[in-house]
Amino acid sequence: MRLITRRSTLGLFAAAATLPSRAFAHVAPPRTEIRDSLAKRFTDLGTSGTFVGYKVEDYLIVASDKERSGESKLPASTFKIPNSLIALETGVVTDPDKDVFPWDGVKRPIEAWNKDHTLRSAIAVSAVPVYQEIARRIGQERMQKYVDLFDYGNRDIGGGIDQFWLTGALRIDPVEQVDFVDRLRRRTLPVSKRSQDLVADILPVTKVGDSVIRTKSGLLGAERGEPSLGWMVGWAEKGGAHTVFALNMDCKEPRLVGERMPLTQACLAEIGAI
């Protein structure tokens, strides 16, 4: 089985037509299928968005479009996946169930954030303040080192150590998200297997019939109460089959925030992943 790589996958989409030839020297790209019916799901909701699913065993990428699937956006709270890995790898967090981050006493609009958290409880409610504190403890130098090692998006952590994934310079596109998440799923990221096992274990799980979906959501502007862009990234397991996915959509109306997971499940069901 050939392995998906960021360089080879990006070559499938129009956004990366200028890739150097060496990108294809070792890994042939997976097959690609563009499905207009997936794109229609976003327009039917009255919004714009994109879905990319990588059916691992079929070596097939199914996407809703060629354009937005290659457009880079701020990762928002999907960055909690690499942030958690780096926290564990650097010892900022030693145990995701025992190390406690005390609430700072500041009341925030999302009530679930206004309490003490462990890493597991913080990722479950996507507690931005906890992960901002984690990023500060990791520090600029170590954060840059691991973002580079992960080849995560554009690797630019400018804009503040506790803001770069929310309002700063970091950008990642859906295809790059799929590649990063797939490397975590396969435990091939350049950190310990323990760190990868723990992060895979703390990712929120949704069960649909006999399928399991591990996901991390993201919502730009959530911490300010001004949502604008929503993400869902993760992977689905159905029997022995695995599908890695990334979805993003404009969430400029409050009603759309809650549509991220139902839409993700609808897209996964359509491509036979759940």
Side-chain angles (χ1 to χ4, degrees):
M1 172 63 69
R2 296 188 185 100
L3 302 178
I4 188 172
T5 71
R6 175 182 165 212
R7 289 177 304 178
S8 66
T9 311
L10 280 170
L12 303 170
F13 297 96
T18 57
L19 273 180
S21 57
R22 63 182 172 81
F24 299 97
H26 304 296
V27 184
R31 294 179 298 119
T32 314
E33 194 178 300
I34 305 297
R35 285 199 196 172
D36 293 339
S37 54
L38 291 170
K40 187 174 183 294
R41 293 185 179 275
F42 294 93
T43 53
D44 284 351
L45 274 175
T47 191
S48 298
T50 186
F51 173 85
V52 178
Y54 171 46
K55 301 190 76 175
V56 175
E57 285 72 26
D58 297 338
Y59 204 56
L60 172 68
I61 291 174
V62 184
S64 60
D65 62 274
K66 291 181 179 178
E67 291 77 33
R68 184 160 171 159
S69 56
E71 291 176 7
S72 296
K73 313 279 188 186
L74 275 157
S77 283
T78 64
F79 188 75
K80 287 185 172 71
I81 300 175
N83 209 355
S84 299
L85 287 164
I86 299 164
L88 288 160
E89 197 67 11
T90 57
V92 165
V93 175
T94 55
D95 188 316
D97 294 301
K98 292 180 180 172
D99 295 9
V100 175
F101 291 84
W103 178 39
D104 60 9
V106 178
K107 287 279 286 184
R108 295 178 176 87
I110 298 174
E111 190 57 41
W113 295 0
N114 301 327
K115 55 183 279 193
D116 296 353
H117 277 289
T118 61
L119 196 67
R120 187 184 298 275
S121 69
I123 203 167
V125 299
S126 209
V128 168
V130 173
Y131 276 87
Q132 289 180 307
E133 174 61 22
I134 286 170
R136 289 190 288 267
R137 292 186 192 181
I138 290 168
Q140 190 85 12
E141 188 175 332
R142 292 191 295 184
M143 186 69 80
Q144 186 67 66
K145 170 191 167 184
Y146 282 100
V147 168
D148 285 342
L149 279 172
F150 293 161
D151 195 17
Y152 187 89
N154 67 355
R155 309 192 303 188
D156 188 341
I157 65 168
I161 188 61
D162 57 3
Q163 285 291 329
F164 64 85
W165 68 94
L166 299 167
T167 59
L170 189 62
R171 298 289 186 276
I172 191 166
D173 68 43
V175 178
E176 291 168 331
Q177 288 269 31
V178 166
D179 171 52
F180 173 75
V181 171
D182 190 51
R183 284 181 285 148
L184 171 61
R185 183 192 66 82
R186 292 188 281 116
R187 309 298 196 267
T188 59
L189 289 165
V191 291
S192 68
K193 184 174 181 295
R194 175 184 182 269
S195 295
Q196 295 178 82
D197 284 346
L198 288 171
V199 172
D201 183 62
I202 66 174
L203 282 177
V205 170
T206 302
K207 293 186 178 175
V208 181
D210 59 352
S211 302
V212 173
I213 312 172
R214 299 178 195 279
T215 55
K216 183 68 201 79
S217 61
L219 187 62
L220 275 186
E223 71 285 353
R224 300 188 305 275
E226 301 169 4
S228 59
L229 176 86
W231 280 102
M232 295 296 288
V233 306
W235 71 89
E237 303 166 7
K238 179 184 180 183
H242 302 82
T243 302
V244 190
F245 63 86
L247 171 147
N248 73 44
M249 57 187 277
D250 296 343
C251 290
K252 292 167 185 172
E253 299 173 54
R255 68 177 177 89
L256 293 167
V257 173
E259 294 288 349
R260 289 170 297 164
M261 189 56 162
L263 186 53
T264 298
Q265 290 186 27
C267 291
L268 288 170
E270 179 174 329
I271 67 171
I274 60 172

